[in-house]
Amino acid sequence: MTFVFAARARRLVLLAAGLSALIAGPALAEDRRVKIINETDHTIVQFYASNIGQNDWEEDILGTDMLRPGASVTVNVDDGTGYCKYDFKAVFSDGDVLIRQGIDVCNVSVYRYTGD
């Protein structure tokens, strides 16, 4: 009798562990790191990424750094909200500002700013 109970308990534990892995798997798999590549002729002096549910831009991700032409940086835009869609704002040394809306950072791992 004890052996049957122990075997059932073990199966329940394994089943629960398997179910929790299935449930947590997709949430943990969402990688919100994006490699930003500057393929323009001007330095990116500020870069912002805010989820589409925000009404304002978050802090400048580059801080005191800059992204020179030909350079790249990998940023983690995960703000803990679970959003996958983000708006990007790049401010360039020549004064240009480029805003790109609705970028799915759960599916895009590289984003290029080009001179086009």
Side-chain angles (χ1 to χ4, degrees), residues 65-76:
D65 293 331
M66 293 182 280
L67 194 57
R68 299 196 185 287
S72 67
V73 64
T74 300
V75 297
N76 185 357

Side-chain angles (χ1 to χ4, degrees), residues 17-95:
L19 286 175
S20 67
L22 285 174
I23 293 168
L28 295 175
E30 299 296 349
D31 184 357
R32 292 172 178 82
R33 288 177 295 176
V34 179
K35 183 176 186 177
I36 306 299
I37 302 173
N38 183 1
E39 294 179 345
T40 71
D41 293 331
H42 300 283
T43 299
I44 297 175
V45 295
Q46 295 174 326
F47 181 78
Y48 303 88
S50 293
N51 73 58
I52 60 171
Q54 291 284 62
N55 292 327
D56 59 1
W57 294 104
E58 300 295 319
E59 72 275 352
D60 174 13
I61 292 174
L62 295 177
T64 59
D65 293 331
M66 293 182 280
L67 194 57
R68 299 196 185 287
S72 67
V73 64
T74 300
V75 297
N76 185 357
V77 297
D78 189 356
D79 61 3
T81 61
Y83 275 83
C84 283
K85 298 245 175 141
Y86 280 74
D87 296 335
F88 288 175
K89 177 181 176 182
V91 179
F92 292 85
S93 57
D94 67 348

